[in-house]
Amino acid sequence: MSDLTTNTAATSAQGSFETEARLGDYFALLKPRVMTLVVFTALVGLLAAPVAVHPFVGFCAVLFIAIGGGASGALNMWWDADIDAVMRRTARRPIPSGRVQPGEALGLGMALSAFAVVFLGLATNWLAAGLLAFTIFFYVVIYTMWLKRATPQNIVIGGAAGAFPPMIGWAAATGSVSVEAVLMFCLTFMWTPPHFWALALFMRSDYDDAGVPMLTVTHGRRATRVHILVYTVLLAGLALAAAFTSIGGPVYLAVALVLNALFLKGAWDIFRRDETQSEVDNFRTERRFFKLSLLYLFAHFGAILIEAGLARYGLGGWA
């Protein structure tokens, strides 16, 4: 065999190896970073509920909610493989990079969805399982297949899918949905638009190239800046009001006051900027606001968790 033939065979074998799916590629289909938020907010919903849950049951509940969230991610990647291949931020995902076949992602997503819903129902109750099933349906069908490519309000309406985990955790513990569960849902729901629109401001070319009707594409960055400010003001009012409910208390109020002041200032700074300023410093203010938005939600739910822990010892809330 000639050196040329040997080198060609080696190159071909190396290319096959690079595109061969590994366990990590299948795990990446589950969107582990998004799953972190799902797990944490679901855990807070479970522990903030006024019902003691056996640790093993609680562990199983959070595990199956996480698996359901991961299943949604796999189905999202299966459907969005065409636009993921165009966007720089997503081009290296397992399907567009060729490491996982679309059919494999579809099969994994469907199997994990059924597994998560059935076993959550068996481990806790069927209300929680039903909410998980609806969440998966909403994210995959209503958001991914329909809203994402149909309306610039895709993030606003589709954000409901990411807001359900604390409500599911609460339902898993109590077998019901209460005002407190709805408040945690609303907190995540109202946080989602400014969080993603800030990202869209400095990633607009990706959405342009993919033809996704993000607000930055359909209405421009000026309108997006206005929307971020309006939603941040509404979010701040909701977050502060929650401090005076049964899931709030002095700790939560202190966290909410500091973070909402910072968040409002960030939204105001974004609103005041023009595109020339943003281009000059590579959207530094928008990127800073996006990073703050990650801390914002985790800190609020962390404060709810602390208040729930204090309440176990009669120290939480305003009593």
Side-chain angles (χ1 to χ4, degrees), residues 36-239:
T36 302
L37 178 62
V38 170
V39 168
F40 182 62
T41 57
L43 178 65
V44 172
L46 183 84
L47 296 179
V51 176
V53 177
H54 190 281
F56 180 72
V57 173
F59 170 79
C60 290
V62 174
L63 174 64
F64 298 138
I65 294 170
I67 292 173
S72 299
L75 293 171
N76 170 270
M77 286 200 193
W78 160 70
W79 185 263
D80 277 350
D82 58 333
I83 61 176
D84 282 349
V86 176
M87 299 170 66
R88 290 172 300 168
R89 184 171 60 90
T90 56
R92 291 302 301 164
R93 283 178 172 176
I95 298 176
S97 64
R99 300 193 306 275
V100 174
Q101 295 302 307
E104 295 177 309
L106 173 61
L108 179 66
M110 294 296 290
L112 290 180
S113 295
F115 174 84
V117 170
V118 170
F119 278 87
L120 180 62
L122 293 173
T124 59
N125 57 75
W126 293 105
L127 174 61
L131 286 172
L132 179 60
F134 179 75
T135 302
I136 296 170
F137 170 81
F138 193 95
Y139 183 71
V140 176
V141 178
I142 303 299
Y143 170 68
T144 301
M145 295 184 178
W146 176 29
L147 294 174
K148 186 172 184 177
R149 308 188 192 207
T151 171
Q153 295 300 310
N154 46 21
I155 288 299
V156 177
I157 307 169
F164 274 112
M167 182 181 289
I168 300 172
W170 184 282
T174 65
S176 64
V177 173
S178 67
V179 173
E180 294 86 352
V182 173
L183 277 171
M184 288 187 284
F185 170 93
C186 290
L187 186 62
T188 310
F189 179 77
M190 292 299 296
W191 163 87
T192 303
H195 166 73
F196 276 103
W197 282 332
L199 173 66
L201 282 173
F202 59 85
M203 296 293 292
R204 176 181 169 177
S205 60
D206 267 6
Y207 295 111
D208 277 328
D209 296 341
V212 177
M214 189 65 74
L215 192 65
T216 48
V217 177
T218 61
H219 290 70
R221 285 177 175 157
R222 182 70 251 160
T224 303
R225 294 175 189 279
V226 173
H227 277 69
I228 288 175
L229 179 60
V230 170
Y231 271 84
T232 301
V233 170
L234 296 174
L235 172 62
L238 174 69

Side-chain angles (χ1 to χ4, degrees), residues 288-299:
R288 187 165 56 237
F289 181 87
F290 176 75
K291 292 178 180 178
L292 176 62
S293 71
L294 298 173
L295 172 64
Y296 179 98
L297 198 66
F298 276 102

